[in-house]
Amino acid sequence: MTELYAIVCTDKADTKPTRMAGLKEHLAHLDEVFDRVSLACPLLNEDGSFKGSLVVVSAADKADAEAFIADDPYYKAGIWETVEISRIGVKAGSWVGGKPW
């Protein structure tokens, strides 16, 4: 059985050039694993500049989610200062079709 994991990655300072240079490879990778991805998006500062990345992924366990993100070209390029992985229990919202109460 798989669960959903939120992977929140925060960029290191001054990594926009590396991020943009690797964008095509990063998106190609996401295409390859798209069946496991519920959500993928950049995180932005208020001024619109890049802050990091958010991926919600189906994984068997936290170790599987860690392996998933470790295979990402951005991870391999070392643009992220931190990577936090948390199992999530989606219960309500327009994304899941409403609320259970």
Side-chain angles (χ1 to χ4, degrees):
M1 181 172 151
T2 62
E3 300 290 340
L4 289 177
Y5 286 82
I7 306 173
V8 179
C9 309
T10 304
D11 287 0
K12 293 177 184 173
D14 303 317
T15 55
K16 183 179 178 183
T18 306
R19 177 184 271 277
M20 298 315 295
L23 179 61
K24 196 173 199 177
E25 187 179 3
H26 169 71
L27 294 177
H29 170 72
L30 287 176
D31 277 342
E32 291 175 12
V33 296
F34 194 73
D35 60 323
R36 294 185 61 187
V37 176
S38 294
L39 174 72
C41 60
L43 297 174
L44 304 173
N45 291 306
E46 286 301 312
D47 66 1
S49 62
F50 292 109
K51 180 178 182 175
S53 302
L54 169 64
V55 183
V56 176
V57 60
S58 295
D61 53 29
K62 188 173 182 179
D64 187 32
E66 290 168 345
F68 177 92
I69 201 65
D71 201 35
D72 190 288
Y74 279 171
Y75 184 94
K76 292 176 181 178
I79 70 165
W80 294 319
E81 181 76 30
T82 62
V83 175
E84 294 183 35
I85 300 174
S86 300
R87 184 174 158 199
I88 60 173
V90 179
K91 301 296 181 201
S94 60
W95 176 37
V96 294
K99 56 188 175 188
W101 60 88

